[in-house]
Amino acid sequence: MPVVTHVLPEGADLSSARSALTDHLPLRAGRATRRTTTFYDTFDGRLHGAGLTLQHTGTALALSVRETGDEVASATVGAAPKRLFDRDLPAALAKWLAPEIEMRALLPVARLRTHELPLALLNEDTKTVARLTLSVTDDGTRGRVTATAIRGYESALERVQTTLVEKLALPEATVPLVDEAIAAAGGQPAGTSAKLSLALDPDEPANVAAARVFTRLVEVIRDNFPGTLDDVDSEFLHDLRVAVRRTRSLQRQFKTVYPERLQHFRDEFKRIQGVTGDLRDLDVYLLDFDDLKASLPEKMQADLEPLRTVIERRRARALTATRRALRAERTAGALSDWERFVTDRRPSDRTVGSLASHRITQVYRKMVKLGSAIDDDSPAEDLHELRKVGKELRYLLEFFASLYPTEVVKPFVKTLKGLQDQLGRFQDREVQANALRELAPALQDSPHTVMAMGVLVERFMQEELAARAEFAERFEAFASKAQRAIVKEHFG
């Protein structure tokens, strides 16, 4: 049924709001109630991005459309959960939420304590022809009045809305309550993004523009520190490590505009990358575990479970080591010193447009040269090296995308991504097969588990060969005459 929501005056309580309405409308009040509502989203705002709102009230979790408030699913769960993964969700909610949140945790992002008063709009026969709800909160959001039509009496809703707008001058609520609640709690309704989202001026000094990129990357690292240390979900560490890797890449590409002390910071970021590597690898194994298990013949699937236990134990040790390293004063000092180092420099003579184009051209040419030398007999290391250089090019295109036409950068990245995906599958399968071989001795008392791992190793090796067979086709597109001409025209 049609619903309208308007915002009450600043500081209005239930009594004053009811009094203002009854001056103009025949209303009958119900019993005032109190309730606490907890809103959930992922750290990066995936539900906000999907136009959904998840809230807990009483003992129920309810999912609704963010803009309209229309409920799409609900389930009884008891008390408000502290954290929810897809595996924790009731089936009625999982089918909507699991594809959106993937491996991320749903966390409380705002909590409202609300006082509500239901009101019935009466006609001349004292029959209810529309329902209103007054709501005010203790948590910094503006009170609201919501009116809902009753079938057959839709015109009554128009009367209510006319009164709210013309006689009481109450503006329509244009911001969803969840957004207002998150903002009142000091959060960002859209979540915390790990994207760069920077617009650079091609005529800026190269080190000034790079400082903006580096500063944003440090911001992403710091944003993801608490979630990594608290082990909230695996994506905090992933985003932290991506920001560290991007920093190291730009340090290499722009090293000519910095003095020799740059090497000290390159070593520090390499250290941070290194001390977090084992934990990330083990996270990936656990994230993929159910899919790997499901890929086995049904009779062997349960045999793989002891491997999960071994991985979880190793992950616990890796988490302890990662926490120790990230909490160390050395890490905090390195990030602060790095920010000062990149922002205190005198502007360089070279512009970012000139240096970015030079580096993109050079790295592209290096990839073409490396890839052209690869044939069926080349060692796997040659493909791994090509993938590493490809990451450098991908980061350059991401950092400096705003300097070039979108119609040039977007297809360039797409072609590069196609090659990178193929190289990634090739390397990932090799790494996975090697990892299972290394883990096998820890499971020597579980022969059935080792047999199941052997089946997976065999499959990884077959997929590795298949990925390698795709290389020539992918590389041909990346190194085509047309692509080389585009690079020369726009970057060279």
Side-chain angles (χ1 to χ4, degrees), residues 127-273:
K127 187 171 183 179
T128 299
V129 293
R131 299 190 187 282
L132 287 75
T133 302
L134 290 173
S135 60
V136 296
T137 74
D138 300 333
D139 306 280
T141 60
R142 293 274 293 274
R144 296 180 178 221
V145 52
T146 300
T148 306
I150 292 178
R151 191 179 303 278
Y153 297 95
E154 284 79 4
S155 61
L157 185 64
E158 296 176 9
R159 179 186 174 193
V160 172
Q161 190 160 26
T162 299
T163 299
L164 297 177
V165 174
E166 297 183 1
K167 296 183 177 177
L168 297 176
L170 300 182
E172 190 169 357
T174 56
V175 177
L177 180 60
V178 58
D179 289 9
E180 196 177 345
I182 294 171
Q188 302 177 62
T192 301
S193 173
K195 294 180 179 176
L196 292 178
S197 302
L198 295 173
L200 302 176
D201 179 350
D203 295 324
E204 273 185 297
N207 62 342
V208 173
R212 294 174 58 196
V213 179
F214 284 133
T215 300
R216 171 60 186 143
L217 290 170
V218 169
E219 185 178 60
V220 173
I221 292 169
R222 289 201 170 113
D223 284 345
N224 286 282
F225 248 76
T228 299
L229 295 176
D230 292 341
D231 197 24
V232 174
D233 66 44
S234 61
E235 292 309 283
F236 285 96
L237 177 62
H238 172 260
D239 288 346
L240 185 155
R241 282 175 49 81
V242 169
V244 169
R245 196 161 59 231
R246 285 173 165 170
T247 299
R248 294 183 62 206
S249 175
L250 190 57
Q251 287 172 338
R252 283 190 292 274
Q253 297 303 327
F254 272 35
K255 61 184 179 183
T256 57
V257 296
Y258 293 103
E260 289 183 357
R261 190 163 180 255
L262 176 67
Q263 185 58 48
H264 161 72
F265 295 106
R266 293 181 66 180
D267 293 341
E268 282 300 297
F269 278 88
K270 183 178 181 180
R271 179 184 63 83
I272 296 172
Q273 183 103 14

Side-chain angles (χ1 to χ4, degrees), residues 57 232 247 267 285 375 381 385 435 478:
T57 305
V232 174
T247 299
D267 293 341
Y285 297 146
D375 58 26
E381 288 73 19
E385 179 62 21
F478 176 77

Side-chain angles (χ1 to χ4, degrees), residues 43-101:
F43 181 70
D44 54 359
R46 295 187 181 196
L47 296 195
H48 181 280
L52 296 171
T53 298
L54 181 66
Q55 64 185 70
H56 176 277
T57 305
T59 60
L61 268 177
L63 183 68
S64 58
V65 177
R66 184 168 160 273
E67 292 296 333
T68 65
D70 294 343
E71 185 174 301
V72 295
S74 66
T76 300
V77 296
K82 293 182 179 178
R83 181 170 51 174
L84 283 163
F85 288 98
D86 59 350
R87 59 182 178 271
D88 305 320
L89 292 166
L93 296 170
K95 72 174 185 178
W96 293 92
L97 293 172
E100 300 294 342
I101 66 174

